[in-house]
Amino acid sequence: MMTVDTPHQIAPRAASDDTRLQSVATRWAGVAFALAFVVTALLTWGDRRPLAGEGSIGDIAAWSAAVAAGVAFGTTFVVETSRGHAAWRQRLPLAKRVVDVIAMTGAMVMLSYFIVLAAANLFQLGFIGLTIDPLGGGVLAGAAAAAFAYAASLSGARVTSDGLATLATLVLFVGTMASMLSAPDESWWQLHFSQLGNSAALSGYRFNLALIVTGIVLTALAGYIGHDIERGLVARGVPPRRTVSLLSWLFAGIGICLSIAGFVPDAVSFVVHVGAASGMVVVFGVFVFCALRFLPGLPREVASFSVLVIVGILIAAVLWVPIGYYNLTGMEFIAAGLLFAWLLVFVRATAAYAQDPEAARDPGAARDPEAARDPAYAQDAGAAQDAGDAP
């Protein structure tokens, strides 16, 4: 006889899954701590190192955290995908799936590296003259590796559009800040942000790499946003195919333009670099227009905020030319801030849009259309309707 899972039976199953993910993350943290401790102790044996600087404990800890976070994130994401999480990604071409994993893993590596490096430099300013012995250095590097391996494992296990948007924003912000603080030309801001990428020093590579990685992460995010939009359209009885394809490609175009701007610095080709940067804003405007035009039921607040962002970017451009209130750097700073503020708001809106609109009116009577594809939910629905009718 077929058994039917009740909601009370489904809840413990979810709790059990969360417990498993926590256990996996804890194991990653333990392994990362042990390896980072041993490597750091061996590299610094017989010597005392400062907290920050070349060859310092902070430098080693940053690399340890970056490697641990990258391995934990990438491995956990692949394993959980093979277990059925985000099964919709199987519809994507293999090459796209591989690029997405590489991009998300690379973003996690960059973010972990820069955060630990920044923390080490900050503490060095507070503890001037402090040096660390090999065992103490091993503990510090191990702790950094363990913390980021734990966080990366949990992030990789359940990737969401909101999480990817936050990751992309942080990578661009932290990478740009790192480039600004290490730029050999202190007057770079008198020209434009692209001047950071024109430097042959480490700061130039950091800035360009931040643009490239952020852009590729946005192309990965395009798939998640498209999936959320698809679920929302299906829940509202609207054929999703053409709309999802159009909006996904437009959003991916924003990321592609950003990556091209990083691949081709201003000093290499002014036309290509500026064209990519300008194209990113144009594609963004087209995306917003299409989203407002083809997504029925999109909250008015989101539509209003999207229009305000576009108007804000236009005003920022006018304040640069012809008014001359500030230089190009000021305009770029405001435009980038508005774009990524919109990104964080929009991905949350599409995640909410993905829900069955009936759920908003009666949470106990409607289900998440994605959850309806779960056999447990389909069985539970069988008493009321045929499982094939579930959205």
Side-chain angles (χ1 to χ4, degrees), residues 4-20 374 376-377 380:
V4 178
D5 287 337
T6 66
H8 296 288
Q9 292 171 316
I10 295 172
R13 180 180 302 172
S16 176
D17 190 55
D18 289 341
T19 301
R20 178 182 61 82
D374 189 298
Y377 281 87
D380 191 38

Side-chain angles (χ1 to χ4, degrees), residues 308-328:
L308 286 175
V309 167
I310 293 178
V311 172
I313 292 175
L314 293 176
I315 293 175
V318 171
L319 288 174
W320 168 47
V321 176
I323 295 178
Y325 179 73
Y326 45 42
N327 61 7
L328 178 56

Side-chain angles (χ1 to χ4, degrees), residues 281 309 312-313 316-317 326 329-341:
V281 178
V309 167
I313 292 175
Y326 45 42
T329 304
M331 193 278 289
E332 290 178 323
F333 183 83
I334 293 176
L338 288 173
L339 279 173
F340 280 88

